[in-house]
Amino acid sequence: MKPPTFVGFMVSARCNAKCVYCPIGSQGTGISPPFMEPSIAVAAAHDLRENRFDGYLNIGENGEPLLNPKWPEIVRVLRKSLPEARLVIHSNMYLMEAPAARLLLKNGLFALILNFDGATPRSYGAVRRLSYAKVERNVRNFIRIRNHAGHPCRIVIAVSTLANFMANAYGISGPCADDSAQVIEKWRGHLRHDDAIQVNTGFWRWMNPYSQDCSSELLCPMAGRFDTDCFVATDGALYLCCLDYRTHIRFERVQEKSLTSVFNGESRRLLVDSIRKRVWQKVGFPCDSCPSRQEVLEVQMERGWAETPPWEGTRHPLGLHQTDDSPSTSLRALLPEHTAYLSM
């Protein structure tokens, strides 16, 4: 059996931000327990080690990982068990004080992925409802600590301003001017040539209500990742997709059955096949009414995916290196086919 090449751990099902484009902070997940126990990471890591896993481990799926008081232990477990794996974290940076930054870098962090969604306290706060000053300080300190140590960790910054969200999600102007260019200019001089910063352009409809009016012809935006990616909820159950942030579609728990066997299991394979064939009555909720499927139709029309399904030829996140002397302004350069995934 082939193991996944990307495993996303829902270390926390809670978030202290309330981003306008994300339902988790404002609506909550309703998932119990709210935080993952290190024993779940132990069980998952044991199976991955047996299967010679050397892919990506994201400890920031569907919640702010640093809210979990046991996150350092989870990081240590994963690093000790899987020394060749590439450890990635998504964080809103509010709790990323210097000790947390040093612990992550000491444990071989491969990439830090964050959003910085406004160039001023007003525009930033309008999107995320967090302290601009504190987040800015923590981002600067992380960069300083990383650079001082000469650590190879990459930093990827996505910019999702309120103006962009309002224009893309609702087709109207927001109360704040779009200051995406100012955000990019603000951080460009602090980043290395292998870092990246760019305006995010995807998954604006994630906040929209589920709708039974979704056309059966619309494609799943995550279909290209089902053969490589899996996600582990706070209770250890595998769930299908990061867009299913309340884990309605669940499989066995890693404490009871090996992660690789669940990932390759018949029930998961049949479900993925139904999604790719768009047989939504077999898949059920939430895929049959997922608001994000509308976006894929637009991309499909733009790129001609009617003949080439989006899951063919996809590549994994952070798989490419920059070779020029300035920070990349294209997230696609570092995260082909996964750009929209960064803002979750």
Side-chain angles (χ1 to χ4, degrees):
M1 290 186 295
K2 287 178 57 178
T5 57
F6 174 100
V7 182
F9 289 91
M10 186 188 286
V11 172
S12 167
R14 301 289 184 270
C15 189
N16 51 335
K18 289 181 170 56
C19 302
V20 296
Y21 49 75
C22 175
I24 294 173
S26 58
Q27 300 175 15
T29 63
I31 291 175
S32 181
F35 302 128
M36 180 178 286
E37 289 292 330
S39 58
I40 292 172
V42 170
H46 175 77
D47 172 71
L48 292 171
R49 184 176 64 248
E50 292 293 311
N51 284 279
R52 303 180 183 276
F53 179 86
D54 61 356
Y56 297 85
L57 300 171
N58 175 28
I59 63 166
E61 288 295 341
N62 296 116
E64 172 53 44
L66 301 190
L67 286 173
N68 185 338
K70 297 181 180 179
W71 75 263
E73 189 175 346
I74 291 173
V75 168
R76 293 187 186 102
V77 163
L78 294 174
R79 175 48 66 219
K80 182 178 180 181
S81 300
L82 301 164
E84 301 302 319
R86 297 181 176 187
L87 186 65
V88 178
I89 186 171
H90 287 68
S91 175
N92 61 41
M93 300 301 286
Y94 186 80
L95 298 173
M96 188 68 76
E97 306 285 355
R102 291 191 177 97
L103 187 149
L104 286 164
L105 293 170
K106 180 180 179 181
N107 282 275
L109 186 67
F110 180 75
L112 165 67
I113 302 174
L114 65 108
N115 268 61
F116 206 93
D117 298 329
T120 68
R122 178 174 179 267
S123 60
Y124 179 88
V127 176
R128 301 182 73 80
R129 301 295 194 270
L130 287 176
S131 166
Y132 174 92
K134 183 172 182 178
V135 171
E136 180 188 37
R137 181 178 69 248
N138 287 346
V139 175
R140 288 184 184 275
N141 283 340
F142 188 98
I143 294 172
R144 176 183 56 81
I145 292 168
R146 179 200 66 167
N147 290 351
H148 180 75
H151 198 283
C153 172
R154 300 174 183 176
I155 297 172
V156 179
I157 301 177
V159 184
S160 306
T161 63
L162 182 62
N164 268 340
F165 171 73
M166 297 295 286
N168 284 279
Y170 303 112
I172 60 176
S173 299
C176 299
D178 182 14
D179 56 358
S180 302
Q182 290 92 325
V183 176
I184 292 175
E185 188 61 30
K186 174 186 181 68
W187 292 109
R188 186 195 301 273
H190 299 278
L191 300 177
R192 294 189 318 219
H193 71 279
D194 57 342
D195 296 329
I197 183 168
Q198 186 190 342
V199 174
N200 179 51
T201 58
F203 288 116
W204 296 117
R205 293 184 178 87
W206 201 33
M207 274 291 287
N208 290 6
Y210 288 106
S211 171
Q212 294 297 333
D213 295 331
C214 285
S215 168
S216 63
E217 296 303 312
L218 301 179
L219 294 171
C220 171
M222 306 298 288
R225 300 172 56 187
F226 292 144
D227 293 335
T228 56
D229 299 12
C230 75
F231 302 88
V232 184
T234 54
D235 66 350
L238 262 65
Y239 63 109
L240 185 66
C241 165
C242 59
L243 292 175
D244 183 14
Y245 61 96
R246 288 179 173 158
T247 68
H248 290 284
I249 298 178
R250 297 164 59 86
F251 305 96
E252 295 95 331
R253 301 195 304 166
V254 298
Q255 308 95 300
E256 300 160 355
K257 192 173 181 180
S258 73
L259 184 150
T260 301
S261 62
V262 178
F263 177 72
N264 288 279
E266 182 74 1
S267 61
R268 186 178 181 278
R269 186 190 65 77
L270 291 173
L271 187 70
V272 167
D273 186 58
S274 294
I275 290 173
R276 289 177 171 170
K277 292 179 179 178
R278 289 168 280 178
V279 187
W280 303 114
Q281 65 271 25
K282 285 187 177 182
V283 181
F285 187 83
C287 298
D288 62 354
S289 51
C290 177
S292 294
R293 285 201 284 121
Q294 173 64 36
E295 296 192 13
V296 180
L297 178 62
E298 295 171 0
V299 177
Q300 177 192 12
M301 294 171 64
E302 178 185 341
R303 298 187 181 180
W305 277 356
E307 298 299 325
T308 304
W311 55 85
E312 291 186 3
T314 58
R315 291 178 288 178
H316 225 280
L318 299 162
L320 300 181
H321 295 267
Q322 294 299 111
T323 56
D324 55 27
D325 294 325
S326 60
S328 168
T329 56
S330 173
L331 290 184
R332 293 189 184 279
L334 290 179
L335 295 147
E337 306 297 331
H338 289 47
T339 303
Y341 173 72
L342 294 178
S343 65
M344 300 175 193

